[in-house]
Coordinates of all heavy atoms in Angstrom, one line a residue:
Chain D
A161 N -7.2 -10.8 15.8 CA -6.2 -11.5 15.1 C -6.6 -11.8 13.7 O -5.8 -11.7 12.7 CB -5.8 -12.8 15.8
A162 N -7.8 -12.3 13.5 CA -8.3 -12.6 12.2 C -8.4 -11.4 11.3 O -8.0 -11.5 10.1 CB -9.7 -13.3 12.2
V165 N -4.9 -10.7 10.1 CA -4.5 -11.6 9.0 C -5.2 -11.2 7.7 O -4.6 -11.2 6.7 CB -4.9 -13.0 9.4 CG1 -4.7 -14.0 8.2 CG2 -4.0 -13.5 10.6
A166 N -6.5 -10.8 7.9 CA -7.2 -10.3 6.7 C -6.6 -9.1 6.0 O -6.4 -9.1 4.8 CB -8.7 -10.0 7.1
L169 N -3.4 -10.2 4.3 CA -3.7 -10.9 3.0 C -4.2 -9.8 2.0 O -3.8 -9.9 0.8 CB -4.8 -11.9 3.2 CG -4.4 -13.3 3.7 CD1 -5.7 -14.1 3.9 CD2 -3.5 -14.0 2.8
I185 N -10.1 -17.8 0.0 CA -9.2 -18.6 1.0 C -9.5 -18.1 2.4 O -9.7 -18.9 3.3 CB -7.7 -18.5 0.6 CG1 -7.4 -19.3 -0.7 CG2 -6.8 -18.9 1.8 CD1 -6.1 -19.0 -1.3
L186 N -9.5 -16.8 2.5 CA -9.8 -16.2 3.8 C -11.1 -16.6 4.4 O -11.2 -17.0 5.6 CB -9.7 -14.7 3.7 CG -10.0 -13.9 5.0 CD1 -8.9 -14.1 6.0 CD2 -10.3 -12.4 4.8
A189 N -11.0 -20.2 5.4 CA -10.2 -20.4 6.6 C -10.9 -20.0 7.8 O -10.9 -20.7 8.8 CB -8.8 -19.7 6.4
L190 N -11.6 -18.8 7.7 CA -12.3 -18.3 8.9 C -13.5 -19.2 9.3 O -13.7 -19.5 10.4 CB -12.8 -16.9 8.6 CG -11.7 -15.8 8.5 CD1 -12.2 -14.5 8.1 CD2 -10.9 -15.7 9.8
F192 N -13.6 -22.4 8.6 CA -13.0 -23.6 9.1 C -12.6 -23.4 10.6 O -12.9 -24.3 11.5 CB -11.7 -24.0 8.3 CG -10.9 -25.1 8.9 CD1 -11.3 -26.4 8.8 CD2 -9.7 -24.8 9.6 CE1 -10.5 -27.4 9.3 CE2 -9.0 -25.8 10.2 CZ -9.4 -27.1 10.0
I193 N -11.9 -22.3 10.9 CA -11.5 -22.1 12.3 C -12.7 -22.0 13.2 O -12.8 -22.6 14.3 CB -10.7 -20.8 12.4 CG1 -9.3 -21.0 11.7 CG2 -10.5 -20.3 13.8 CD1 -8.5 -19.8 11.5
L223 N -1.8 -19.4 23.9 CA -2.6 -19.1 22.7 C -2.8 -17.6 22.4 O -2.7 -17.1 21.3 CB -4.0 -19.8 22.7 CG -3.9 -21.4 22.6 CD1 -5.3 -21.9 22.8 CD2 -3.3 -21.8 21.3
L226 N 0.4 -16.2 21.2 CA 0.6 -16.6 19.8 C -0.3 -15.8 18.9 O 0.1 -15.4 17.8 CB 0.3 -18.1 19.6 CG 1.4 -19.0 20.3 CD1 1.0 -20.5 20.1 CD2 2.7 -18.8 19.7
L227 N -1.5 -15.5 19.3 CA -2.4 -14.7 18.5 C -1.8 -13.3 18.4 O -1.9 -12.7 17.3 CB -3.8 -14.6 19.2 CG -4.8 -15.7 18.9 CD1 -6.1 -15.5 19.6 CD2 -5.0 -15.8 17.4
F229 N 1.3 -12.5 18.5 CA 2.4 -12.6 17.5 C 1.9 -12.6 16.1 O 2.4 -12.0 15.2 CB 3.3 -13.8 17.8 CG 4.3 -13.5 18.9 CD1 4.2 -13.9 20.2 CD2 5.5 -12.8 18.5 CE1 5.2 -13.6 21.1 CE2 6.4 -12.5 19.5 CZ 6.3 -12.9 20.8
L230 N 0.9 -13.5 15.9 CA 0.4 -13.7 14.6 C -0.2 -12.3 14.1 O 0.0 -11.9 12.9 CB -0.8 -14.7 14.6 CG -1.5 -14.9 13.3 CD1 -0.6 -15.5 12.2 CD2 -2.7 -15.8 13.5
A231 N -0.9 -11.6 14.9 CA -1.5 -10.4 14.5 C -0.5 -9.3 14.2 O -0.5 -8.6 13.2 CB -2.4 -9.8 15.6
M233 N 2.6 -9.9 13.3 CA 3.2 -10.4 12.1 C 2.4 -10.0 10.9 O 3.0 -9.4 9.9 CB 3.2 -11.9 12.3 CG 3.7 -12.7 11.1 SD 5.4 -12.6 11.2 CE 5.6 -13.0 9.5
A234 N 1.1 -10.2 10.9 CA 0.3 -9.9 9.8 C 0.3 -8.4 9.5 O 0.3 -7.9 8.4 CB -1.1 -10.4 10.0
A257 N 3.3 -19.5 -3.3 CA 4.1 -20.4 -2.5 C 3.5 -20.5 -1.1 O 3.4 -21.6 -0.5 CB 5.5 -19.8 -2.4
L258 N 3.0 -19.4 -0.6 CA 2.5 -19.4 0.7 C 1.2 -20.2 0.8 O 1.0 -21.0 1.7 CB 2.2 -17.9 1.2 CG 2.2 -17.6 2.6 CD1 3.6 -17.8 3.2 CD2 1.8 -16.2 2.9
I259 N 0.3 -20.0 -0.2 CA -0.9 -20.8 -0.2 C -0.6 -22.3 -0.3 O -1.1 -23.1 0.4 CB -1.8 -20.3 -1.3 CG1 -2.3 -18.9 -1.1 CG2 -3.0 -21.2 -1.5 CD1 -2.9 -18.2 -2.2
G260 N 0.4 -22.6 -1.3 CA 0.8 -24.0 -1.4 C 1.3 -24.5 -0.2 O 1.0 -25.7 0.2
A261 N 2.1 -23.7 0.5 CA 2.7 -24.2 1.8 C 1.7 -24.5 2.8 O 1.9 -25.3 3.7 CB 3.7 -23.2 2.2
V262 N 0.6 -23.8 2.8 CA -0.5 -24.0 3.8 C -1.4 -25.2 3.4 O -1.7 -26.0 4.2 CB -1.3 -22.7 3.9 CG1 -2.5 -23.0 4.9 CG2 -0.4 -21.6 4.5
V263 N -1.7 -25.2 2.1 CA -2.7 -26.3 1.6 C -2.0 -27.6 1.5 O -2.6 -28.6 2.0 CB -3.3 -25.8 0.2 CG1 -4.1 -27.0 -0.3 CG2 -4.1 -24.6 0.4
P265 N 0.6 -29.2 3.1 CA 0.8 -29.9 4.3 C -0.5 -30.5 4.8 O -0.5 -31.6 5.4 CB 1.4 -28.9 5.3 CG 1.9 -27.9 4.4 CD 1.1 -27.8 3.2
F266 N -1.6 -29.8 4.6 CA -2.9 -30.3 5.1 C -3.2 -31.7 4.4 O -3.6 -32.7 5.0 CB -4.0 -29.4 4.9 CG -4.2 -28.3 5.9 CD1 -3.6 -27.1 5.8 CD2 -4.8 -28.7 7.1 CE1 -3.7 -26.2 6.8 CE2 -4.9 -27.7 8.1 CZ -4.4 -26.5 8.0
M287 N 4.8 -31.5 7.5 CA 3.9 -30.3 7.5 C 4.8 -29.1 7.9 O 4.8 -28.1 7.2 CB 2.9 -30.5 8.6 CG 1.9 -29.4 8.7 SD 0.6 -29.9 9.9 CE -0.4 -28.4 9.9
V288 N 5.6 -29.3 9.0 CA 6.4 -28.2 9.4 C 7.5 -27.8 8.3 O 7.7 -26.7 8.0 CB 7.2 -28.5 10.7 CG1 8.1 -27.4 11.1 CG2 6.1 -28.8 11.8
L291 N 5.8 -26.0 5.6 CA 5.3 -24.7 6.0 C 6.5 -23.7 6.1 O 6.4 -22.5 5.8 CB 4.7 -24.8 7.4 CG 3.3 -25.4 7.4 CD1 2.8 -25.6 8.8 CD2 2.3 -24.4 6.7
P295 N 7.9 -21.4 1.7 CA 7.8 -20.0 1.6 C 9.1 -19.3 1.8 O 9.5 -18.3 1.1 CB 6.9 -19.6 2.8 CG 6.3 -20.8 3.3 CD 7.1 -22.0 2.9
R334 N 9.2 -13.5 6.9 CA 7.7 -13.3 7.0 C 6.9 -14.4 6.5 O 6.0 -14.9 7.1 CB 7.4 -12.0 6.2 CG 7.8 -10.7 6.8 CD 6.9 -9.6 6.3 NE 7.1 -9.4 4.8 CZ 8.0 -8.7 4.3 NH1 8.9 -8.1 5.0 NH2 8.1 -8.6 3.0
G335 N 7.3 -14.9 5.3 CA 6.6 -16.1 4.7 C 6.6 -17.3 5.6 O 5.6 -17.9 5.9
A336 N 7.8 -17.6 6.1 CA 8.0 -18.7 7.0 C 7.2 -18.6 8.3 O 6.5 -19.5 8.7 CB 9.5 -19.0 7.3
L337 N 7.3 -17.4 8.9 CA 6.7 -17.3 10.2 C 5.2 -17.2 10.1 O 4.5 -17.7 11.0 CB 7.3 -16.0 10.8 CG 8.8 -16.1 11.1 CD1 9.3 -14.8 11.7 CD2 9.1 -17.3 12.0
C338 N 4.7 -16.6 9.0 CA 3.3 -16.6 8.9 C 2.7 -18.0 8.8 O 1.7 -18.4 9.4 CB 3.0 -15.8 7.6 SG 1.3 -15.3 7.5
A339 N 3.5 -18.8 8.0 CA 3.1 -20.2 7.9 C 3.2 -20.9 9.2 O 2.3 -21.7 9.6 CB 3.9 -20.9 6.8
L340 N 4.2 -20.6 10.0 CA 4.4 -21.3 11.3 C 3.3 -20.9 12.2 O 2.8 -21.8 12.9 CB 5.7 -20.8 11.9 CG 7.0 -21.6 11.5 CD1 8.2 -20.9 12.0 CD2 6.9 -23.0 11.9
A341 N 2.9 -19.7 12.1 CA 1.8 -19.2 13.0 C 0.5 -20.0 12.7 O -0.2 -20.5 13.6 CB 1.5 -17.8 12.8
L342 N 0.3 -20.2 11.4 CA -0.9 -21.0 11.0 C -0.8 -22.4 11.5 O -1.8 -23.0 12.0 CB -1.0 -21.0 9.5 CG -1.5 -19.7 8.9 CD1 -1.4 -19.8 7.4 CD2 -2.9 -19.4 9.3
F343 N 0.4 -23.0 11.4 CA 0.6 -24.3 11.9 C 0.3 -24.4 13.4 O -0.4 -25.3 13.9 CB 2.1 -24.8 11.6 CG 2.5 -25.9 12.5 CD1 2.0 -27.2 12.2 CD2 3.4 -25.8 13.5 CE1 2.4 -28.3 12.9 CE2 3.7 -26.9 14.3 CZ 3.2 -28.1 14.0
I344 N 0.8 -23.4 14.1 CA 0.6 -23.5 15.6 C -0.8 -23.4 15.9 O -1.3 -24.1 16.7 CB 1.4 -22.3 16.2 CG1 2.9 -22.5 16.1 CG2 1.0 -22.1 17.7 CD1 3.7 -21.2 16.3
L345 N -1.5 -22.5 15.2 CA -2.9 -22.3 15.5 C -3.7 -23.6 15.2 O -4.6 -24.0 16.0 CB -3.5 -21.2 14.7 CG -3.1 -19.8 15.2 CD1 -3.7 -18.7 14.3 CD2 -3.6 -19.6 16.6
V346 N -3.4 -24.2 14.1 CA -4.1 -25.4 13.7 C -3.7 -26.5 14.7 O -4.6 -27.3 15.2 CB -3.8 -25.8 12.3 CG1 -4.4 -27.2 12.0 CG2 -4.4 -24.8 11.3
G347 N -2.4 -26.6 15.0 CA -1.9 -27.6 15.9 C -2.5 -27.5 17.3 O -2.8 -28.4 18.0
A348 N -2.6 -26.2 17.7 CA -3.0 -26.0 19.1 C -4.4 -26.4 19.3 O -4.7 -26.9 20.4 CB -2.8 -24.5 19.4
S349 N -5.3 -26.2 18.3 CA -6.6 -26.7 18.5 C -6.7 -28.1 18.1 O -7.2 -28.4 17.1 CB -7.6 -25.8 17.7 OG -7.3 -25.9 16.4
A353 N -8.2 -30.4 14.9 CA -7.4 -31.3 14.0 C -8.0 -32.7 14.0 O -8.1 -33.4 13.0 CB -6.0 -31.3 14.4
L371 N 2.3 -32.3 19.9 CA 2.0 -31.0 19.3 C 2.7 -29.9 20.0 O 3.2 -28.9 19.4 CB 0.5 -30.8 19.2 CG -0.2 -31.4 18.0 CD1 -1.7 -31.2 18.1 CD2 0.3 -30.8 16.7
A375 N 4.9 -26.9 18.6 CA 4.5 -25.5 18.8 C 5.6 -24.7 19.5 O 5.9 -23.6 19.1 CB 3.2 -25.5 19.6
A378 N 8.4 -24.1 17.0 CA 8.0 -23.0 16.1 C 8.0 -21.7 16.7 O 8.5 -20.7 16.1 CB 6.6 -23.4 15.6
W382 N 10.4 -18.4 15.9 CA 9.8 -17.1 15.7 C 10.4 -16.0 16.5 O 10.8 -15.0 16.1 CB 8.3 -17.2 16.0 CG 7.4 -16.1 15.6 CD1 7.8 -14.9 15.3 CD2 6.0 -16.2 15.5 NE1 6.7 -14.2 14.9 CE2 5.6 -15.0 15.0 CE3 5.1 -17.2 15.7 CZ2 4.2 -14.7 14.8 CZ3 3.8 -16.9 15.5 CH2 3.3 -15.7 15.0

Side-chain angles (χ1 to χ4, degrees):
Chain D
V165 172
L169 280 176
I185 288 166
L186 177 71
L190 292 175
F192 170 78
I193 289 171
L223 290 178
L226 290 177
L227 273 182
F229 273 103
L230 174 67
M233 175 79 201
L258 207 65
I259 293 166
V262 173
V263 173
F266 274 99
M287 183 174 178
V288 178
L291 284 171
R334 285 203 301 273
L337 296 177
C338 196
L340 276 174
L342 288 172
F343 163 72
I344 292 164
L345 285 179
V346 172
S349 60
L371 275 175
W382 193 341

